[in-house]
């Protein structure tokens, strides 16, 4: 089982809709969870971090963490064309940060 | 505020050549990291430095060496480049307490080895 798994993509959503991204992880001892956004040809940019179970909201982004089920999700509300990017889930455990392969999101105007 | 600066941005090498990728951060972070990103493979950790004076291997260290020159600078060296090392290389840094603190990335070095 891979350490961090993300749904296969790409995910196409109409402008103004909600984009939902999921990530599962294998290490039950994982402690910190991050979502990065990466535009094509650019570097990853941190958009959310979450450390405890529940929801964390920041603007149009909501991160959800469920340690019992070992998943973390990202919701993007009111999706905009500028949200079109690859979203990377990252999980810290065993003294290292492991990244998923990413989910491409395409927002259709 | 520059954040994490990587040089060069692009480089083409021939098989067997050597080169050093440079990384510097101005955020007073203790921890620094080198990743490579390949299509379909995600980001993979090559080496990291939890603090000045220490370095440790990551997931894919073979063929690479690193130097933590001081708190600001962390370099990655390819001694004898191979086509399999064609990739995009990212340097990142974070505050002390590796893992608990998010990592901030440089713009990357796009390296092609012929």
């Amino acid at each position: 089982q891979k350490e961090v798994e993300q749904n296969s993509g790409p995910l196409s959503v109409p402008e103004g809709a909600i984009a939902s991204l999921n990530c599962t992880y294998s290490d039950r001892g994982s402690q910190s969870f991050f979502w990065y956004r990466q535009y094509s040809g650019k570097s990853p940019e941190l958009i959310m971090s979450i450390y405890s179970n529940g929801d964390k909201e920041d603007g149009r982004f909501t991160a959800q963490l469920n340690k019992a089920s070992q998943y973390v999700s990202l919701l993007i509300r009111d999706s905009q064309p500028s949200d079109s990017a690859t979203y990377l889930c990252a999980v810290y455990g065993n003294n290292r940060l492991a990244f998923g392969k990413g989910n491409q999101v395409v927002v259709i105007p | 505020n520059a954040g994490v600066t990587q040089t060069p941005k692009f480089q083409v090498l021939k098989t067997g050549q050597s080169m050093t990728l440079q990384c510097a951060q101005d955020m007073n972070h203790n921890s620094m990291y080198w990743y490579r990103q390949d299509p379909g493979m995600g980001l993979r950790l090559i080496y990291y430095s939890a603090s000045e004076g220490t370095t440790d291997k990551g997931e894919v260290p073979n063929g690479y060496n690193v130097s933590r020159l001081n708190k600001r600078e962390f370099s990655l060296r390819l001694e004898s480049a191979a086509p399999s090392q064609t990739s995009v290389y990212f340097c990142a840094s974070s505050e002390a307490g590796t893992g608990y603190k998010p990592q901030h990335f440089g713009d990357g070095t796009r390296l092609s080895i012929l």
Side-chain angles (χ1 to χ4, degrees):
Chain A
Q1 183 183 5
K2 295 182 180 177
E3 288 186 83
V4 180
E5 291 201 62
Q6 297 184 243
N7 298 345
S8 58
L11 175 66
S12 294
V13 296
E15 184 175 354
I18 296 174
S20 177
L21 304 173
N22 294 317
C23 171
T24 59
Y25 58 94
S26 59
D27 180 8
R28 282 195 171 274
S30 298
Q31 300 154 320
S32 309
F33 307 85
F34 309 97
W35 283 99
Y36 286 83
R37 177 177 62 198
Q38 187 174 25
Y39 293 114
S40 181
K42 302 296 185 180
S43 61
E45 172 194 11
L46 179 72
I47 56 171
M48 290 290 286
S49 57
I50 186 166
Y51 303 98
S52 56
N53 281 329
D55 294 0
K56 179 181 179 182
E57 186 174 317
D58 184 357
R60 295 185 296 108
F61 298 101
T62 299
Q64 300 173 317
L65 175 61
N66 184 323
K67 290 186 177 180
S69 300
Q70 295 176 240
Y71 83 79
V72 57
S73 62
L74 179 70
L75 299 177
I76 308 173
R77 293 184 302 279
D78 188 23
S79 295
Q80 301 297 308
S82 60
D83 295 326
S84 297
T86 296
Y87 291 81
L88 306 174
C89 174
V91 176
Y92 176 75
N94 289 327
N95 296 316
R96 60 182 290 264
L97 188 65
F99 285 84
K101 294 182 179 180
N103 275 126
Q104 185 181 7
V105 173
V106 178
V107 180
I108 303 168
Chain B
N1 188 353
V4 179
T5 302
Q6 292 184 236
T7 56
K9 296 191 183 304
F10 302 92
Q11 185 71 48
V12 179
L13 292 177
K14 294 181 179 179
T15 298
Q17 288 185 316
S18 62
M19 81 160 296
T20 299
L21 308 185
Q22 306 287 352
C23 175
Q25 51 90 11
D26 62 4
M27 296 176 283
N28 201 35
H29 286 169
N30 284 320
S31 303
M32 299 185 73
Y33 312 83
W34 276 105
Y35 292 90
R36 61 179 291 175
Q37 188 174 38
D38 303 293
M41 298 295 292
L43 280 160
R44 292 183 293 170
L45 182 65
I46 304 171
Y47 270 94
Y48 67 100
S49 171
S51 61
E52 186 178 356
T54 68
T55 60
D56 286 287
K57 295 179 180 179
E59 184 182 355
V60 288
N62 291 343
Y64 305 95
N65 285 302
V66 291
S67 296
R68 183 74 183 266
L69 304 172
N70 48 54
K71 189 173 185 179
R72 291 186 63 250
E73 299 173 287
F74 188 37
S75 63
L76 178 72
R77 183 164 178 83
L78 287 72
E79 291 291 351
S80 178
S84 61
Q85 294 177 305
T86 293
S87 188
V88 180
Y89 291 85
F90 289 104
C91 177
S93 70
S94 68
E95 297 175 30
T98 54
Y100 288 93
K101 303 295 183 182
Q103 297 177 14
H104 301 268
F105 287 81
D107 289 339
T109 295
R110 283 147 183 81
L111 181 61
S112 293
I113 299 163
L114 308 178

